[in-house]
Amino acid sequence: MFKDITLGQYYKTDSVIHMLDPRVKLAGTLIYIITLFLGKSFFMFIPAAVFLVSMIILSKVPVSYVLRGIKPIIPLIIISSVFNLILTPGNVLVGFWIINITSEGIYMAVFMIVRLLLLITGASILTLTTTPTKLTDGMEMGLRFLKVFKVPVHEIAMMMSIALRFIPILVEETDKIKKAQMARGADFESGNIFKRAKAMIPLLVPLFVSAFRRAGDLAMAMEARCYHGSEGRTRMKPLIYARRDYIAYAIVLGYLGLMIVMAVFGV
Amino acid sequence: MELKTQNLVYEYDSGTDYAKRALDGVDITIGKNEFIGLIGHTGSGKSTLIQHLNGLLKATEGQVLWNGRDIYSAGFDRRELRGHVGLVFQYPEYQLFETTVLKDVCFGPKNRGLSEEDAICRAREALTLTGIDEKYYESSPFDLSGGQKRRVAIAGVLAMQPEILILDEPTAGLDPGGRDEILGRVAGIQRETGSTVILVSHSMDDIAEYVDRIIVIDKGCIAFDDVPVRVFSHVEELEKMGLSAPQITYVMHTLKNAGFNVDTDAITVKEAVDSIMGQIRPHF
Ligand SMILES: Nc1ncnc2c1ncn2[C@@H]1O[C@H](COP(=O)(O)OP(=O)(O)OP(=O)(O)O)[C@@H](O)[C@H]1O
Ligand SMILES: [Mg+2]
C-alpha cells in the first residue's frame, strides 16, 4: 500500500516525456495551465486537447492511469458546475422557485468542466512521468533565482524531499502500532465519533514520539556527515539540459505562441 | 485449548504486481502448556505467521482454528481472541503511550472489559512477573531504559492473562545481560502461569536452553517441527536455511570427531560441561 504513496502516481516506463528534464516538464505544465485560462471560447480547447493527447501518447502511460487522476476531483467538478448552472444570469430556460437555469449557465458549466478536466489531466501527466524526488530537484533548480530575494530555496526543497521520504516510513509505522494496540484489544473501528477519536490516542502518541525520534536521529546523521545547507554543496546527479529538452522548450513555446495568437484574435 | 492452522497461505499486496507470498501452506497445532520456539531466517515469514494466530492478518487461503472454530468465520469475535492469544510485537516499547507505567499496562485488561481495580490488580501481577520494580509504577514509561520499556510492554500483553503468549524477537537490540534477563523472565512466566509461550527468534542459541519444541520456518513453509535435539541433528539443512545449531552443538561435534566420547545431543552449556567433565574426570 505504501508503495503507492512513495511514488505518488508515478508510472514507471521509459518514454521521451519520462526522460525530459523536470524543469522542462514543470515549465511546460505551468504554461499549459496558463493557456487554458487565456480564452473564453471552446475553440481554445482544441489546440490544448491536441497538445495534451500528444503528451499522453508520447508518455506511454496507459489512458486508464491518466483517467484515474480525475476521480478524486469529480466532486469538485460537480459542485462547480452546479454553481455555474444556477448562478449564471442570462436567458432563462427553466425556472422554479429561486433557481433559474440559463443557456449561459449551461454553456459556462460545460466550459468549466472541460477546462477542469484538461487542467487536471495535464497536471497528472507531470506527476505520472516524474518521480517526487525529481520534481523537488527540478523545483529547487528552477527556483534558484529566488535566492537573490533571500528565499532559502535549497532548504525548502530539502524539507520537501525529507517529508516525502518519511511518508512511507510513517505509514508503515502507523500500521505496526495500530496492530500492536489491536493485539492489546484496542478497537479502532466501532463506536461513535468521540469514542473513535479517543481510541486514536494509543495510536497517535507513539506515532508522534517515534516521528520526533526519527527526526532527531536523521538530523544527527546529517550533521555527522557535515551537512550544512546549500552553501558550496554540489549534486551527485546534476540536472543538465540535453538536446531533447531544448526541442521540448521550443514545442511548448510554439504552443504558447499559437494560443496567444488565438486569444488575441478572439477565436 | 487448541490453536491450529490449516494450509495457511498469505500473500502481501495480493493481486498486484508486488504480490509476495510470505506463507505457503502452514500447518501447525499449538496445545496447552507448551514452550515453543519459532525459528527462521530473516524474511522467512515468522512475523507474518504469528499475526494470523490472533487474527490480525486475514489468510489468503486456509484456516486458523481456535478450539475448532474458524476465526475468520462471520460472528467470530477476533477482539476476544486477542485476549486469549497475546501477541507482543518486535520492539514493543514503541507502543507505549500512557502517562504512567501502571496505566499503560492496564490498557489491555481494560479493553477486555475489566473494572479499574481488577485491571490494576492484573497489571501489578504482570509487572511483578516481568520484574519491574514498584517504584517505577507511577513514572512515565518514556523515562525508562530500553530493556525496562520492553518489559513494561510485555507486561502490557501479559496483563490480559492470555492462554497463549507469543513474543516476536523479544531480545532484538538488547545487550547479553538484557537478553538473559528477558528470556529468564519469559521462562519463569511460562513455568508459573502454565500458559503456552511461543518465542520467535532467528538465533538457536537464544532459545535452545528454554523451549521444549522448535518449529523451523523457511520461505513460508514449515521445515521442522520437533523437540530441540532432533531439530539440531539436521545441522546441514539448517545451515542451508541460513540458520545454525547452537554453538555448543558444534563444539560437541568437534570434540566427538577429535576422539572424545562426549554427548553430541547436549544443548545447553551446562549439559555440555557435565558431559565433557564426565569424559575428563576418569583421567585424573
Ligand atoms: N507489509 C509488507 N508488505 C509486503 N511484503 C511484506 C510485508 N511484510 C513482510 N513482507 C514480506 O514477507 C516476507 C516475510 O516477512 P516476515 O516479516 O514475516 O519475516 P520474518 O521472518 O518476521 O523476518 P524478520 O526475522 O526479519 O523479522 C518477507 O519476504 C517480506 O519481504
Ligand atoms: Mg519479524
Side-chain angles (χ1 to χ4, degrees), chain B residues 10-29:
Chain B
Y10 185 77
E11 251 175 29
Y12 281 103
D13 305 302
S14 198
T16 70
D17 302 348
Y18 305 113
K20 157 110 198 138
R21 194 167 268 231
L23 292 179
D24 200 359
V26 170
D27 293 284
I28 50 170
T29 306

PDB file of all heavy atoms in Angstrom, chain B residues 10-29:
ATOM      1  N   TYR B  10      -0.495 -16.900   2.879  1.00  0.00           N
ATOM      2  CA  TYR B  10      -0.704 -15.450   2.932  1.00  0.00           C
ATOM      3  C   TYR B  10       0.157 -14.740   1.898  1.00  0.00           C
ATOM      4  O   TYR B  10       1.350 -15.010   1.770  1.00  0.00           O
ATOM      5  CB  TYR B  10      -0.402 -14.875   4.316  1.00  0.00           C
ATOM      6  CG  TYR B  10      -0.747 -13.408   4.396  1.00  0.00           C
ATOM      7  CD1 TYR B  10      -2.074 -13.014   4.527  1.00  0.00           C
ATOM      8  CD2 TYR B  10       0.222 -12.429   4.278  1.00  0.00           C
ATOM      9  CE1 TYR B  10      -2.427 -11.679   4.560  1.00  0.00           C
ATOM     10  CE2 TYR B  10      -0.122 -11.079   4.311  1.00  0.00           C
ATOM     11  CZ  TYR B  10      -1.448 -10.721   4.460  1.00  0.00           C
ATOM     12  OH  TYR B  10      -1.788  -9.381   4.472  1.00  0.00           O
ATOM     13  N   GLU B  11      -0.475 -13.851   1.158  1.00  0.00           N
ATOM     14  CA  GLU B  11       0.227 -13.065   0.157  1.00  0.00           C
ATOM     15  C   GLU B  11       0.114 -11.592   0.506  1.00  0.00           C
ATOM     16  O   GLU B  11      -0.986 -11.088   0.732  1.00  0.00           O
ATOM     17  CB  GLU B  11      -0.415 -13.292  -1.215  1.00  0.00           C
ATOM     18  CG  GLU B  11       0.442 -14.088  -2.147  1.00  0.00           C
ATOM     19  CD  GLU B  11      -0.276 -14.399  -3.443  1.00  0.00           C
ATOM     20  OE1 GLU B  11      -1.134 -13.620  -3.864  1.00  0.00           O
ATOM     21  OE2 GLU B  11       0.047 -15.443  -4.034  1.00  0.00           O
ATOM     22  N   TYR B  12       1.252 -10.896   0.572  1.00  0.00           N
ATOM     23  CA  TYR B  12       1.208  -9.442   0.742  1.00  0.00           C
ATOM     24  C   TYR B  12       0.869  -8.813  -0.594  1.00  0.00           C
ATOM     25  O   TYR B  12       1.263  -9.318  -1.640  1.00  0.00           O
ATOM     26  CB  TYR B  12       2.566  -8.911   1.227  1.00  0.00           C
ATOM     27  CG  TYR B  12       2.800  -9.112   2.709  1.00  0.00           C
ATOM     28  CD1 TYR B  12       3.627 -10.119   3.169  1.00  0.00           C
ATOM     29  CD2 TYR B  12       2.172  -8.287   3.638  1.00  0.00           C
ATOM     30  CE1 TYR B  12       3.846 -10.299   4.530  1.00  0.00           C
ATOM     31  CE2 TYR B  12       2.383  -8.462   4.994  1.00  0.00           C
ATOM     32  CZ  TYR B  12       3.217  -9.463   5.434  1.00  0.00           C
ATOM     33  OH  TYR B  12       3.421  -9.630   6.763  1.00  0.00           O
ATOM     34  N   ASP B  13       0.134  -7.720  -0.567  1.00  0.00           N
ATOM     35  CA  ASP B  13      -0.268  -6.993  -1.779  1.00  0.00           C
ATOM     36  C   ASP B  13      -0.844  -7.951  -2.823  1.00  0.00           C
ATOM     37  O   ASP B  13      -0.515  -7.871  -3.991  1.00  0.00           O
ATOM     38  CB  ASP B  13       0.924  -6.231  -2.379  1.00  0.00           C
ATOM     39  CG  ASP B  13       1.560  -5.300  -1.373  1.00  0.00           C
ATOM     40  OD1 ASP B  13       0.852  -4.441  -0.854  1.00  0.00           O
ATOM     41  OD2 ASP B  13       2.770  -5.453  -1.095  1.00  0.00           O
ATOM     42  N   SER B  14      -1.686  -8.851  -2.330  1.00  0.00           N
ATOM     43  CA  SER B  14      -2.281  -9.854  -3.198  1.00  0.00           C
ATOM     44  C   SER B  14      -2.991  -9.192  -4.371  1.00  0.00           C
ATOM     45  O   SER B  14      -3.680  -8.196  -4.208  1.00  0.00           O
ATOM     46  CB  SER B  14      -3.282 -10.668  -2.372  1.00  0.00           C
ATOM     47  OG  SER B  14      -3.559 -11.863  -3.020  1.00  0.00           O
ATOM     48  N   GLY B  15      -2.778  -9.766  -5.560  1.00  0.00           N
ATOM     49  CA  GLY B  15      -3.491  -9.270  -6.735  1.00  0.00           C
ATOM     50  C   GLY B  15      -2.833  -8.087  -7.420  1.00  0.00           C
ATOM     51  O   GLY B  15      -3.337  -7.595  -8.411  1.00  0.00           O
ATOM     52  N   THR B  16      -1.681  -7.613  -6.901  1.00  0.00           N
ATOM     53  CA  THR B  16      -0.974  -6.532  -7.584  1.00  0.00           C
ATOM     54  C   THR B  16       0.338  -7.069  -8.148  1.00  0.00           C
ATOM     55  O   THR B  16       0.664  -8.235  -7.957  1.00  0.00           O
ATOM     56  CB  THR B  16      -0.632  -5.380  -6.619  1.00  0.00           C
ATOM     57  OG1 THR B  16       0.373  -5.836  -5.709  1.00  0.00           O
ATOM     58  CG2 THR B  16      -1.851  -4.934  -5.830  1.00  0.00           C
ATOM     59  N   ASP B  17       1.075  -6.189  -8.813  1.00  0.00           N
ATOM     60  CA  ASP B  17       2.361  -6.611  -9.382  1.00  0.00           C
ATOM     61  C   ASP B  17       3.363  -6.935  -8.283  1.00  0.00           C
ATOM     62  O   ASP B  17       4.343  -7.632  -8.498  1.00  0.00           O
ATOM     63  CB  ASP B  17       2.962  -5.490 -10.245  1.00  0.00           C
ATOM     64  CG  ASP B  17       2.033  -5.091 -11.368  1.00  0.00           C
ATOM     65  OD1 ASP B  17       1.057  -5.835 -11.587  1.00  0.00           O
ATOM     66  OD2 ASP B  17       2.275  -4.060 -12.002  1.00  0.00           O
ATOM     67  N   TYR B  18       3.132  -6.365  -7.082  1.00  0.00           N
ATOM     68  CA  TYR B  18       4.084  -6.543  -5.999  1.00  0.00           C
ATOM     69  C   TYR B  18       3.789  -7.788  -5.172  1.00  0.00           C
ATOM     70  O   TYR B  18       4.433  -8.001  -4.149  1.00  0.00           O
ATOM     71  CB  TYR B  18       4.053  -5.351  -5.042  1.00  0.00           C
ATOM     72  CG  TYR B  18       4.278  -4.022  -5.685  1.00  0.00           C
ATOM     73  CD1 TYR B  18       3.252  -3.082  -5.740  1.00  0.00           C
ATOM     74  CD2 TYR B  18       5.514  -3.686  -6.214  1.00  0.00           C
ATOM     75  CE1 TYR B  18       3.450  -1.833  -6.320  1.00  0.00           C
ATOM     76  CE2 TYR B  18       5.722  -2.451  -6.790  1.00  0.00           C
ATOM     77  CZ  TYR B  18       4.694  -1.524  -6.844  1.00  0.00           C
ATOM     78  OH  TYR B  18       4.896  -0.299  -7.406  1.00  0.00           O
ATOM     79  N   ALA B  19       2.772  -8.569  -5.546  1.00  0.00           N
ATOM     80  CA  ALA B  19       2.333  -9.700  -4.721  1.00  0.00           C
ATOM     81  C   ALA B  19       3.523 -10.536  -4.256  1.00  0.00           C
ATOM     82  O   ALA B  19       4.441 -10.819  -5.022  1.00  0.00           O
ATOM     83  CB  ALA B  19       1.353 -10.559  -5.498  1.00  0.00           C
ATOM     84  N   LYS B  20       3.496 -10.878  -2.958  1.00  0.00           N
ATOM     85  CA  LYS B  20       4.631 -11.611  -2.400  1.00  0.00           C
ATOM     86  C   LYS B  20       4.080 -12.649  -1.440  1.00  0.00           C
ATOM     87  O   LYS B  20       3.372 -12.317  -0.493  1.00  0.00           O
ATOM     88  CB  LYS B  20       5.541 -10.598  -1.678  1.00  0.00           C
ATOM     89  CG  LYS B  20       6.430 -11.158  -0.621  1.00  0.00           C
ATOM     90  CD  LYS B  20       7.867 -11.132  -1.068  1.00  0.00           C
ATOM     91  CE  LYS B  20       8.655 -12.055  -0.231  1.00  0.00           C
ATOM     92  NZ  LYS B  20       9.584 -12.897  -0.507  1.00  0.00           N
ATOM     93  N   ARG B  21       4.377 -13.911  -1.736  1.00  0.00           N
ATOM     94  CA  ARG B  21       3.838 -14.986  -0.921  1.00  0.00           C
ATOM     95  C   ARG B  21       4.725 -15.168   0.308  1.00  0.00           C
ATOM     96  O   ARG B  21       5.871 -15.590   0.184  1.00  0.00           O
ATOM     97  CB  ARG B  21       3.774 -16.266  -1.752  1.00  0.00           C
ATOM     98  CG  ARG B  21       2.929 -17.350  -1.146  1.00  0.00           C
ATOM     99  CD  ARG B  21       2.647 -18.441  -2.163  1.00  0.00           C
ATOM    100  NE  ARG B  21       1.394 -18.166  -2.864  1.00  0.00           N
ATOM    101  CZ  ARG B  21       0.414 -19.072  -2.980  1.00  0.00           C
ATOM    102  NH1 ARG B  21       0.543 -20.264  -2.469  1.00  0.00           N
ATOM    103  NH2 ARG B  21      -0.686 -18.755  -3.615  1.00  0.00           N
ATOM    104  N   ALA B  22       4.218 -14.814   1.470  1.00  0.00           N
ATOM    105  CA  ALA B  22       5.016 -14.873   2.692  1.00  0.00           C
ATOM    106  C   ALA B  22       4.791 -16.179   3.443  1.00  0.00           C
ATOM    107  O   ALA B  22       5.668 -16.641   4.168  1.00  0.00           O
ATOM    108  CB  ALA B  22       4.706 -13.698   3.600  1.00  0.00           C
ATOM    109  N   LEU B  23       3.602 -16.766   3.300  1.00  0.00           N
ATOM    110  CA  LEU B  23       3.330 -18.069   3.907  1.00  0.00           C
ATOM    111  C   LEU B  23       2.783 -18.972   2.824  1.00  0.00           C
ATOM    112  O   LEU B  23       1.972 -18.544   2.008  1.00  0.00           O
ATOM    113  CB  LEU B  23       2.289 -17.946   5.025  1.00  0.00           C
ATOM    114  CG  LEU B  23       2.700 -17.201   6.283  1.00  0.00           C
ATOM    115  CD1 LEU B  23       1.544 -17.168   7.270  1.00  0.00           C
ATOM    116  CD2 LEU B  23       3.918 -17.849   6.927  1.00  0.00           C
ATOM    117  N   ASP B  24       3.234 -20.221   2.834  1.00  0.00           N
ATOM    118  CA  ASP B  24       2.859 -21.102   1.746  1.00  0.00           C
ATOM    119  C   ASP B  24       2.450 -22.469   2.281  1.00  0.00           C
ATOM    120  O   ASP B  24       3.217 -23.415   2.246  1.00  0.00           O
ATOM    121  CB  ASP B  24       4.050 -21.217   0.781  1.00  0.00           C
ATOM    122  CG  ASP B  24       3.612 -21.703  -0.583  1.00  0.00           C
ATOM    123  OD1 ASP B  24       2.404 -21.963  -0.752  1.00  0.00           O
ATOM    124  OD2 ASP B  24       4.464 -21.828  -1.465  1.00  0.00           O
ATOM    125  N   GLY B  25       1.246 -22.544   2.824  1.00  0.00           N
ATOM    126  CA  GLY B  25       0.733 -23.826   3.300  1.00  0.00           C
ATOM    127  C   GLY B  25       1.299 -24.237   4.643  1.00  0.00           C
ATOM    128  O   GLY B  25       2.033 -25.215   4.748  1.00  0.00           O
ATOM    129  N   VAL B  26       0.968 -23.467   5.682  1.00  0.00           N
ATOM    130  CA  VAL B  26       1.497 -23.762   7.010  1.00  0.00           C
ATOM    131  C   VAL B  26       0.463 -24.540   7.823  1.00  0.00           C
ATOM    132  O   VAL B  26      -0.689 -24.135   7.935  1.00  0.00           O
ATOM    133  CB  VAL B  26       1.869 -22.449   7.751  1.00  0.00           C
ATOM    134  CG1 VAL B  26       2.173 -22.728   9.211  1.00  0.00           C
ATOM    135  CG2 VAL B  26       3.041 -21.776   7.067  1.00  0.00           C
ATOM    136  N   ASP B  27       0.883 -25.686   8.360  1.00  0.00           N
ATOM    137  CA  ASP B  27       0.037 -26.471   9.271  1.00  0.00           C
ATOM    138  C   ASP B  27       0.747 -26.605  10.596  1.00  0.00           C
ATOM    139  O   ASP B  27       1.779 -27.269  10.672  1.00  0.00           O
ATOM    140  CB  ASP B  27      -0.179 -27.893   8.719  1.00  0.00           C
ATOM    141  CG  ASP B  27      -1.012 -27.879   7.458  1.00  0.00           C
ATOM    142  OD1 ASP B  27      -2.226 -27.711   7.587  1.00  0.00           O
ATOM    143  OD2 ASP B  27      -0.429 -28.031   6.361  1.00  0.00           O
ATOM    144  N   ILE B  28       0.224 -25.979  11.631  1.00  0.00           N
ATOM    145  CA  ILE B  28       0.777 -26.221  12.960  1.00  0.00           C
ATOM    146  C   ILE B  28      -0.368 -26.345  13.960  1.00  0.00           C
ATOM    147  O   ILE B  28      -1.463 -25.827  13.738  1.00  0.00           O
ATOM    148  CB  ILE B  28       1.749 -25.112  13.436  1.00  0.00           C
ATOM    149  CG1 ILE B  28       1.141 -23.735  13.265  1.00  0.00           C
ATOM    150  CG2 ILE B  28       3.076 -25.192  12.742  1.00  0.00           C
ATOM    151  CD1 ILE B  28       1.954 -22.640  13.926  1.00  0.00           C
ATOM    152  N   THR B  29      -0.096 -27.058  15.031  1.00  0.00           N
ATOM    153  CA  THR B  29      -1.077 -27.183  16.098  1.00  0.00           C
ATOM    154  C   THR B  29      -0.403 -26.802  17.400  1.00  0.00           C
ATOM    155  O   THR B  29       0.698 -27.269  17.691  1.00  0.00           O
ATOM    156  CB  THR B  29      -1.592 -28.638  16.206  1.00  0.00           C
ATOM    157  OG1 THR B  29      -2.058 -29.017  14.917  1.00  0.00           O
ATOM    158  CG2 THR B  29      -2.716 -28.742  17.215  1.00  0.00           C
TER     159      THR B  29
END
